[in-house]
Amino acid sequence: ADPQQLFLNPVTDEIAFGYSNIIRKPMSISTMEEKIDANEYNSVAAWQDDVNLMFENCISYNRGANGKWFRGEANRQLKVFRDEIFPQARRLYQNEIAKRNVEAPKRKLMDGPEISPLSAMTKKRKKEKEEYIPSTPALASMLLSDPFVVRIVLARVLRELRRSVMLA
């Protein structure tokens, strides 16, 4: 959604004069990547708030005729995020949580006998199409079809390659 990579790196006062005087809480895609790496997001909504903040910062800073293109691009990308990227991310997150809940190991009592669940007394109902949980390769292909996710993945890969080259 960001082919010009306008939001990839943090904005500094050298790039945009007086940016720190106007924007109190800067945000960029690479800042969000760092927060992901540090496990600072406790929910998809927290990530959504940072994405919204990133676009709001762009719109707030770029006032007047000179900032019209930047405001337009921020609004366009915000619409793509709200209409396409975020609903897909929320679905993937919910599917992953449901999958983890199903796969969670059953607890054993510390000193008691092993307890196994009772067998179902009724027939298992057929899964509805909307209850289908896609496989890992299907999830990966869905994620990699999204340019926003691809950019994040590529940035991480490049960062790891740089890190490994520096260590070698």
Side-chain angles (χ1 to χ4, degrees), residues 25-131:
K25 189 175 178 190
M27 187 55 60
S28 67
I29 293 171
S30 60
T31 303
M32 287 183 270
E33 286 176 341
E34 291 169 6
K35 290 177 83 171
I36 289 169
D37 289 340
N39 292 321
E40 292 183 26
Y41 289 118
N42 295 322
S43 67
V44 177
W47 169 65
Q48 180 187 26
D49 291 342
D50 278 352
V51 173
N52 288 331
L53 174 65
M54 178 178 68
F55 293 124
E56 288 168 10
N57 287 348
C58 178
I59 293 167
S60 296
Y61 178 78
N62 292 292
R63 294 286 177 200
N66 291 339
K68 182 178 180 182
W69 183 86
F70 291 100
R71 290 191 312 271
E73 187 61 17
N75 283 321
R76 181 193 71 78
Q77 290 187 34
L78 180 59
K79 182 172 177 15
V80 169
F81 175 76
R82 286 183 179 156
D83 294 347
E84 299 172 20
I85 297 171
F86 185 71
Q88 181 181 4
R90 185 177 33 216
R91 274 193 313 277
L92 292 172
Y93 175 77
Q94 290 168 344
N95 289 342
E96 184 64 28
I97 292 300
K99 184 178 174 184
R100 288 182 185 191
N101 288 340
V102 168
E103 294 175 354
K106 298 185 177 34
R107 293 184 178 181
K108 293 183 179 180
L109 295 176
M110 297 290 274
D111 296 324
E114 187 172 323
I115 299 174
S116 59
L118 298 174
S119 59
M121 297 299 286
T122 60
K123 292 182 181 178
K124 290 185 178 178
R125 64 184 177 97
K126 191 175 181 179
K127 281 188 175 181
E128 299 290 327
K129 286 185 180 181
E130 59 199 30
E131 292 179 315

